[in-house]
Amino acid sequence: MTVAILSGFVLALLAPTLQRVADRRAGWALALLPLILSLYFATFLKAIGSGEVFHARHEWVPSLGIHLSFTLDGLSLLFALLINGMGVLVLVYAGGYMAGHPELGRLYAFLLMFMASMLGLVLADSLLVLFVFWELTSFSSYLLIGFDHDRADARAAALRALLVTGGGGLALMAGLLLLGQAGGSLELSSLTTQADTLREHPLATPALLLILVGAFTKSAQFPFHFWLPSAMEAPTPISAYLHSATMVKAGVYLLSRLSPVFAGSDVWIGTLTVVGGLTMLMGGWLALLQSDLKRILAYSTVSALGTLTMFLGIGGPLAVQAAMAFLLGHALYKGALFLVAGAVDHETGTRDVDRLSGLRRAMPFTALAAGISALSMAGLPPLFGFIAKELSYEATLGAAWSTCVTTAAVVTNILLVAAAGVVGLRPFLGQTLPTPKPAHEAPLSLLLGPLTLSVVSIASGLIPAMGVNELLSAASTSVLGQPADIDLALWHGVTPALGLSAITLLGGVGVFASRGLVRKSASCCGRVSSWGPAGWYELALRRMNGLAVGQTQLLQSGYLRYYLMMTVAATVGLTGYALLGRGTPATAWNWFDVKFYEVGLVALMLLATLGALLLKSRLAAVASLGVVGYCVSLVFVLYGAPDLAMTQFLVETLTVILFVLVFYHLPESRIVSETSARWRDAVLALVTGVLMTALVLVGTPENYPPISEYFVEHSVTRGHGRNIVNVILVDFRGLDTLGEITVLSVAAVGVHALLKLRRRSDSGSETSVAGPAPVEAAGMLTQKTPMGELHQEDRDAGDDRRGSSPIREGDKP
Amino acid sequence: MSTLLAIVVGCLYAAGVYMMLRRSLFKLILGLVFLSHGANLLIFTVGGLTRGRPPVVPPGATGLAVPSADPLPQALILTAIVIGFAVLAFSLALFHRGYQTFGSDDPDDLKVSDQ
């Protein structure tokens, strides 16, 4: 089983190469994998139908109780067959639809990756494995929706899908972890067995709510539905795969999977029924208002997902059976209709239903598949859609608040019947209209999918005993957590459900006939849609970008002193926080301990520091710096550090000389900050100073004893030297000294390079390396414009030598 | 004395930070030197102050006389002084080069590559 899941990822890696080698036949060749997988999973049907469940488990992180575990039961089997079955058709279809596209290999790779992710998702038993595959589907669908990445709309749609489903994914992760916490296990199979105790756990409700957010975003439930229609930017094979059988049903799958645990709780029933019902109605209504084939299908998919969610919310054998039957029926007819829409678009050049008519003459087979699927969508016998709809009505009639729920279902189905007519019948009947491309029949690769799905729709409607009964019974068993036996049949006798079907059909035909009127009246109040969740999303995205820009401008202002300020403030804050409560100064204030010359020394240092701060003249400031440095070396002399004193003395002398050399001939700086800025800096500086003083007072040797015993003890015996400081530097920590020397050499090379660069640029040589890069680049830019010379005039001295460049001379009259 | 030096360390830090926040590269580099003085003195003071007894083992003995300065902070500071000087020399050279290119001592004028 694990091999079956991973094989898709492996093939995804090989797909681009295969595409290059096999070219036109690559789609057919790649479709072999899902075909083999479909057959492989089909072999399980008999055993699973009789109640068996298959497990596969590999150790992953055993110490954390995380395993790579998979389970195959009825529900997983239904989805696995859908995913692979649709996979076969979509891969073949993509080969024909995108023939000659330079990136076809990439498309195959993404599709296979997506297929494998979906398969892993529906087979996962560990919650974490499920989550990983869940995110992989989000990720691969991002790549798929944004396949035409050179179009801004496609990118925006892909981002929208990713942000919505990815945001939901975060909530899902939190929910799954809470669920694992509450149940004490991350394995779904063991969580479902302890459903009763789990439901009483205080973490159960938060976990459920978070998981619902994840499922609703993925399955495009209100108010997260808006990403799905915009995802129609993707090429049609992708839309067909993602939005008929797979990606969007992942949320429904998750709800079904957790149904044994949560079904029946008030939150579950309330949320799912209300959200599902709303989504169902809204999707149906919006579907009718569209004129683009794919958008009609997209909104009707939203509606179908709402229906599924609602049935799972209602719960109980009838509703779950209805949900499973509807899921299968929807996948069959919606997949076919998407593929038909693609074929029509491919052969006529438009997807606008108002411009399509009479295509049955040019595209008879496409019309046949479209008609059958549309009738299945409308719920006409003998197609499978009819059975699903009958079951739905039986379920709503048996639900709590059945009047309300049934009315909603009937209204939605009326709308969907009309939508089915618009998509599946309208373009093919009536007078032939001219199309952007002369219409002709689609090739075999584009026909295979719709025709196969139509045949399955008929077959499973006429003879449900041929596997479909078993499959749906097994799936319902998994969802209910108890054995369910479905016996599907076309004819149930004269029942209330049959009456409702008749009403639906009549109503649907009525709405279809008057759809022009409906659309016209709806366009008056069409402005409402701009205020919907899609608008909130745009607003949130803009605000987020604004926030990012704002905080970047704040933190990355481009002013050195603000960076410094931020760094210093952060250091002070963190150090101060760490220092709090770390003990008080250990030594008492003992003034008698201090010698008079030490007080003098300290006073001199403070004075010189003040001088460096306040003196206007640079020379005086440098002299003050020198005084401070010499005082520091005197401190070293007084307190037993002769080596330091010598080094400091030498370095200080060199420092002063360097400062004077560099600054002496430069003009004085005249920039004075505003008073408020100076006060602000002074406060920050003082706080830093106080903190450092506190640090010294707290960090006394009494509080923190020295750690140098080792060096003191072994300096003579092992280092063979009596000056311990020297022994530490050249012996114990010799490598550190090597590092220090390296730093010195790097600095020396740097200084040399900086000074050398100056000399060469001064000499006016032609070598372009001599110039500073930014100015160089700026100079080149100005030269390319006709006004280059004017700009060139007021360039500074460093740029003048560019005057001899050939471009410049060429520009001269 | 360590209390007095603690105050000196605080003042050196305060002066260093204040100077580094000025709109002058000269002040910035000056502040850098003050900061390194402050840091050196900080390490020196928290390591413990012992008057006039360098960490040198007398001839013939194998260990230090009992009240002696701690050698470890001194080794650290010795390294710090040298590295501080290297940094200073490099900053000064960089400043010099920058001044020749941009003709300015104001760090706000050096934002060209940011824009």
Side-chain angles (χ1 to χ4, degrees):
Chain A
M1 203 189 304
T2 318
V3 174
I5 295 161
L6 297 180
S7 58
F9 289 112
V10 175
L11 195 62
L13 285 177
L14 303 176
T17 318
L18 191 70
Q19 156 65 17
R20 267 195 298 280
V21 176
D23 196 26
R24 288 196 163 265
R25 289 179 298 276
W28 295 89
L30 289 168
L32 281 177
L33 175 75
L35 186 65
I36 293 168
L37 289 180
S38 306
L39 297 175
Y40 167 73
F41 282 111
T43 58
F44 286 93
L45 184 58
K46 197 126 205 102
I48 285 176
S50 61
E52 261 188 85
V53 176
F54 296 88
H55 296 281
R57 181 165 154 156
H58 310 272
E59 297 284 297
W60 189 8
V61 193
S63 56
L64 293 178
I66 300 171
H67 308 288
L68 197 62
S69 52
F70 299 102
T71 298
L72 183 65
D73 64 358
L75 183 65
S76 303
L77 183 64
L78 172 62
F79 272 93
L81 287 175
L82 279 178
I83 292 162
N84 285 307
M86 280 300 290
V88 175
L89 303 177
V90 165
L91 281 171
V92 170
Y93 186 89
Y97 187 84
M98 309 281 283
H101 193 288
E103 302 287 358
L104 188 53
R106 200 157 55 91
L107 178 70
Y108 287 139
F110 292 165
L111 277 174
L112 285 165
M113 185 167 100
F114 176 77
M115 189 189 87
S117 313
M118 260 330 272
L119 204 53
L121 169 62
V122 299
L123 290 172
D125 190 43
S126 164
L127 291 178
L128 286 178
V129 174
L130 184 142
F131 176 73
V132 168
F133 282 110
W134 179 280
E135 291 293 283
L136 272 174
T137 61
S138 291
F139 171 67
S140 44
S141 71
Y142 170 74
L143 296 175
L144 282 169
I145 296 171
F147 181 72
D148 292 331
H149 55 81
D150 44 0
R151 284 191 306 120
D153 284 348
R155 290 200 303 273
L159 184 66
R160 183 182 291 212
L162 183 73
L163 287 181
V164 175
T165 57
L170 286 181
L172 175 71
M173 181 175 72
L176 291 179
L177 289 178
L178 283 183
L179 185 65
Q181 197 79 29
S185 164
L186 287 170
E187 306 290 310
L188 275 164
S189 45
S190 78
L191 285 173
T192 43
T193 54
Q194 44 166 325
D196 292 329
T197 49
L198 196 56
R199 228 172 299 159
E200 303 303 316
H201 199 279
L203 285 179
T205 307
L208 172 60
L209 289 175
L210 286 166
I211 291 172
L212 287 185
V213 171
F216 286 174
T217 49
K218 197 80 158 183
S219 275
Q221 298 295 301
F222 180 84
F224 305 114
H225 63 277
F226 57 90
W227 70 262
L228 202 157
S230 64
M232 293 299 126
E233 292 292 342
T236 306
I238 297 173
S239 308
Y241 200 29
L242 260 57
H243 307 123
S244 63
T246 51
M247 160 95 169
V248 292
K249 294 236 172 90
V252 173
Y253 167 78
L254 185 69
L255 295 177
S256 318
R257 181 49 82 200
L258 292 174
S259 189
V261 181
F262 288 114
S265 79
D266 293 340
V267 182
W268 175 274
I269 296 178
T271 320
L272 262 63
T273 312
V274 171
V275 172
L278 260 179
T279 311
M280 172 177 92
L281 277 170
M282 187 203 62
W285 172 245
L286 290 175
L288 201 61
L289 303 186
Q290 311 299 318
S291 61
D292 180 343
L293 279 179
K294 276 176 79 180
R295 289 187 83 87
I296 300 174
L297 292 171
Y299 277 112
S300 70
T301 304
V302 169
S303 174
L305 294 168
T307 313
L308 289 169
T309 306
M310 189 182 80
F311 281 135
L312 289 171
I314 293 172
L318 267 180
V320 167
Q321 287 170 12
M324 291 302 117
F326 185 68
L327 190 138
L328 179 63
H330 174 257
L332 293 176
Y333 71 68
K334 194 54 67 68
L337 287 175
F338 262 120
L339 297 178
V340 164
V344 168
D345 185 16
H346 196 254
E347 307 309 340
T348 66
T350 179
R351 292 199 308 253
D352 189 342
V353 281
D354 297 330
R355 300 176 61 186
L356 294 168
S357 185
L359 287 178
R360 68 180 184 282
R361 292 183 193 91
M363 309 175 73
F365 292 107
T366 313
L368 181 68
I372 292 171
S373 299
L375 293 181
S376 181
M377 181 171 169
L380 256 73
L383 299 159
F384 193 72
F386 174 71
I387 298 182
K389 190 187 284 184
E390 292 287 283
L391 277 176
S392 311
Y393 282 144
E394 280 177 33
T396 56
L397 286 171
W401 295 355
S402 69
T403 327
C404 209
V405 177
T406 308
T407 313
V410 170
V411 171
T412 307
N413 278 327
I414 288 176
L415 293 169
L416 289 185
V417 168
V422 174
V423 175
L425 301 179
R426 167 78 217 281
F428 301 98
L429 303 178
Q431 291 293 312
T432 309
L433 285 180
T435 46
K437 281 200 281 184
H440 54 86
E441 186 54 280
L444 176 62
S445 53
L446 296 194
L447 281 176
L448 181 75
L451 285 176
T452 311
L453 290 170
S454 305
V455 169
V456 177
S457 269
I458 299 176
S460 49
L462 282 176
I463 21 178
M466 203 185 64
V468 176
N469 260 340
E470 250 173 339
L471 182 61
L472 293 183
S473 302
S476 305
T477 306
S478 313
V479 178
L480 287 166
Q482 65 196 42
D485 194 18
I486 308 186
D487 190 18
L488 303 170
L490 279 174
W491 182 249
H492 285 259
V494 181
T495 55
L498 190 67
L500 289 174
S501 279
I503 296 173
T504 308
L505 209 57
L506 287 175
V509 171
V511 174
F512 176 71
S514 58
R515 69 187 183 287
L517 202 67
V518 173
R519 257 158 66 179
K520 202 175 286 173
S521 61
S523 64
C524 302
C525 46
R527 292 277 69 82
V528 182
S529 59
S530 67
W531 179 81
W536 305 339
Y537 164 84
E538 295 297 335
L539 188 72
L541 202 62
R542 268 205 307 279
R543 286 282 154 82
M544 190 95 91
N545 282 336
L547 183 72
V549 168
Q551 66 100 14
T552 307
Q553 276 169 354
L554 189 72
L555 295 177
Q556 306 284 324
S557 54
Y559 291 98
L560 180 63
R561 58 182 179 285
Y562 292 124
Y563 294 138
L564 274 175
M565 224 178 274
M566 218 79 79
T567 312
V568 171
T571 312
V572 167
L574 292 173
T575 317
Y577 177 74
L579 204 59
L580 277 180
R582 278 295 168 92
T584 45
T587 39
W589 291 59
N590 187 359
W591 291 107
F592 301 105
D593 184 37
V594 182
K595 302 259 187 332
F596 72 93
Y597 53 84
E598 292 171 348
V599 178
L601 190 63
V602 167
L604 189 60
M605 278 171 93
L606 295 181
L607 264 179
T609 309
L610 207 61
L613 271 177
L614 299 180
L615 288 172
K616 290 266 182 290
S617 147
R618 276 183 177 163
L619 202 58
V622 171
S624 308
L625 175 71
V627 172
V628 173
Y630 289 139
C631 286
V632 171
S633 63
L634 275 176
V635 172
F636 292 151
V637 168
L638 288 174
Y639 289 95
D643 301 295
L644 296 193
M646 277 187 281
T647 317
Q648 179 72 53
F649 198 82
L650 191 68
V651 162
E652 201 56 41
T653 312
L654 283 173
T655 301
V656 171
I657 292 173
L658 265 183
F659 258 106
V660 172
L661 274 181
V662 171
F663 283 99
Y664 187 68
H665 61 278
L666 295 186
E668 298 280 324
S669 163
R670 288 277 168 260
I671 298 171
V672 179
S673 313
E674 290 167 23
T675 320
S676 63
R678 298 170 69 167
W679 275 107
R680 180 195 59 204
D681 298 348
V683 168
L684 182 61
L686 276 177
V687 172
T688 316
V690 169
L691 177 83
M692 288 305 163
T693 302
L695 196 62
V696 177
L697 291 176
V698 172
T700 53
E702 288 83 0
N703 283 347
Y704 300 94
I707 50 168
S708 52
E709 294 91 356
Y710 175 85
F711 303 117
V712 173
E713 227 170 273
H714 296 106
S715 177
V716 174
T717 50
R718 298 204 179 159
H720 302 290
R722 292 189 289 113
N723 184 336
I724 302 176
V725 176
N726 287 3
V727 174
I728 291 175
L729 286 177
V730 301
D731 197 323
F732 292 125
R733 311 296 305 172
L735 276 178
D736 294 357
T737 309
L738 186 69
E740 178 193 346
I741 293 169
T742 314
V743 172
L744 271 183
S745 345
V746 170
V749 169
V751 170
H752 179 72
L754 285 167
L755 297 181
K756 199 170 153 68
L757 281 176
R758 175 179 62 84
R759 262 207 307 280
R760 283 174 71 177
S761 75
D762 277 356
S763 68
S765 81
E766 268 287 79
T767 45
S768 60
V769 279
V775 176
E776 189 90 34
M780 305 248 270
L781 277 177
T782 51
Q783 273 170 3
K784 285 190 180 141
T785 64
M787 300 293 285
E789 286 176 62
L790 286 176
H791 289 285
Q792 205 72 25
E793 305 296 342
D794 42 39
R795 288 267 148 214
D796 59 8
D799 207 30
D800 272 351
R801 67 203 161 69
R802 295 203 52 87
S804 58
S805 78
I807 307 171
R808 174 85 190 275
E809 278 178 349
D811 280 349
K812 274 183 181 167
Chain B
M1 184 62 183
S2 64
T3 313
L4 278 181
L5 279 184
I7 294 167
V8 170
V9 167
C11 289
L12 289 175
Y13 265 97
V17 169
Y18 184 78
M19 280 192 257
M20 288 179 84
L21 295 176
R22 302 275 55 77
R23 277 183 68 179
S24 153
L25 285 177
F26 168 72
K27 287 273 174 69
L28 180 87
I29 300 175
L30 209 62
L32 206 61
V33 181
F34 271 89
L35 271 194
S36 59
H37 282 325
N40 288 348
L41 268 188
L42 185 143
I43 298 172
F44 194 66
T45 315
V46 295
L49 296 172
T50 313
R51 274 203 194 84
R53 286 182 172 272
V56 178
V57 182
T62 55
L64 282 177
V66 170
S68 282
D70 192 343
L72 192 58
Q74 294 194 17
L76 293 177
I77 295 168
L78 200 59
T79 311
I81 292 173
V82 177
I83 301 245
F85 178 68
V87 171
L88 172 78
F90 186 76
S91 337
L92 281 174
L94 197 62
F95 166 80
H96 195 226
R97 186 80 194 93
Y99 191 90
Q100 286 197 324
T101 310
F102 296 100
S104 168
D105 176 27
D106 184 358
D108 290 7
D109 291 344
L110 308 184
K111 297 195 344 164
V112 177
S113 62
D114 278 8
Q115 285 162 353

